[in-house]
Amino acid sequence: AINKVTMAFDVEAGSQSEYAAHDKLFLVRVDQEGKNVFLTDYIINNTPTGERLEDEKYEFKITNYFYQLLNNDSYTNDLYLLPAGMAVNANRTILDKDIKLTIYYSKL
């Protein structure tokens, strides 16, 4: 049984010397029609607010999305990171190329 799944992105070391990274990013998926939609995790919790930069890292809880990805053929695996407030700031976020996916599970 899957208990919790997180996906984490680290900001590249030294990349904020000229421009600060975005305070918040959204992780969205692309549906079969090509539209960006909030992940199930945010819809269920009614909090499509994105994740804030903490300790040079963005960490997203994607448990429900991951479950749907495994069990629902209509889910795509295309995900996008979008900056919050991109129309009103000139921040720049450069991420480390490594993505950390952590799956917490229990044996049945």
Side-chain angles (χ1 to χ4, degrees):
I2 297 172
N3 301 319
K4 180 180 174 182
V5 180
T6 62
M7 182 179 283
F9 303 88
D10 292 325
V11 173
E12 187 173 288
S15 67
Q16 296 189 69
S17 60
E18 194 171 338
Y19 298 101
H22 291 88
D23 289 331
K24 189 188 319 183
L25 295 179
F26 294 109
L27 182 64
V28 298
R29 73 176 182 88
V30 179
D31 67 12
Q32 289 183 326
E33 298 171 359
K35 296 178 185 175
N36 293 340
V37 294
F38 286 110
L39 299 182
T40 309
D41 298 84
Y42 296 111
I43 295 169
I44 288 173
N45 296 322
N46 198 26
T47 56
T49 57
E51 296 298 328
R52 294 204 173 273
L53 178 63
E54 290 184 23
D55 298 325
E56 305 298 308
K57 173 173 73 171
Y58 301 93
E59 184 174 283
F60 297 87
K61 294 177 185 134
I62 60 167
T63 308
N64 291 307
Y65 165 75
F66 192 77
Y67 177 83
Q68 289 294 328
L69 183 63
L70 293 176
N71 295 292
N72 186 339
D73 290 339
S74 69
Y75 261 56
T76 63
N77 60 357
D78 296 336
L79 297 174
Y80 284 107
L81 283 171
L82 301 174
M86 61 186 161
V88 295
N89 68 47
N91 295 36
R92 175 181 69 184
T93 302
I94 300 174
L95 300 174
D96 189 293
K97 65 180 179 177
D98 296 323
I99 299 169
K100 184 177 182 182
L101 181 68
T102 306
I103 303 170
Y104 300 90
Y105 65 95
S106 300
K107 291 184 181 181
L108 296 176

